[in-house]
Amino acid sequence: MSKFTSPAFDPMDVSPRIGSGYPEPFQQGCEKREKRRLGEHGGLVNFGVNLTTLPPGQGSAIRHWHTMQDEFIFVVSGELTLITDSGEQVLTAGMCAAFPKNVPDGHCLVNRSGAPASYLEIGDRTPGDVGHYPDVDLVADGKTGTYVFTRKDGTPY
């Protein structure tokens, strides 16, 4: 139980969501990811803030980019490898990266170290977003307000 009173809270009091919402063929690599929805817990509606922890060998997501939503990450602890179209670079605590909407540069984070790593993930909730996954046959269609995963030709999983 937290010693804080609203609006303050201990992020570790927020239950983590383990894994991802990807269809079964794409679960591997993110199945142990822990995401704590801090913004939602605090009642935020215009943007999301997640504290995500990646155990060794796990990734943040499949490499992707968004049409309507900006994303920003800030590494809180540990070491993460950022993978984009430009290649790979190691990010450590205190470093950050920004991913503007509608820039088709797929990105993801992977923990290749031997210890857990955590980062804050901040993004807006602009409706009508579509997530593109350049390396696999997957699209996250959010045009109806809820993401629906399909193949690139529009057929469902």
Side-chain angles (χ1 to χ4, degrees), residues 117-150:
S118 295
Y119 63 96
L120 285 175
E121 173 184 69
I122 302 150
D124 69 80
R125 294 181 173 164
T126 303
D129 182 51
V130 176
H132 294 276
Y133 299 81
D135 302 328
V136 297
D137 188 13
L138 184 66
V139 172
D141 187 339
K143 291 178 187 166
T144 63
T146 302
Y147 285 109
V148 175
F149 290 104
T150 68

Side-chain angles (χ1 to χ4, degrees), residues 1 7 11 22-23 29 37-38 40 44 51 59 62 73 75 86 107 112 116 119 122 129 134 147:
M1 166 108 6
Y22 293 137
R37 295 179 175 177
L38 305 183
E40 187 175 289
L44 302 181
L51 176 60
I62 299 168
I73 62 106
V75 181
S86 300
H107 61 273
R112 293 187 178 147
Y119 63 96
I122 302 150
D129 182 51
Y147 285 109

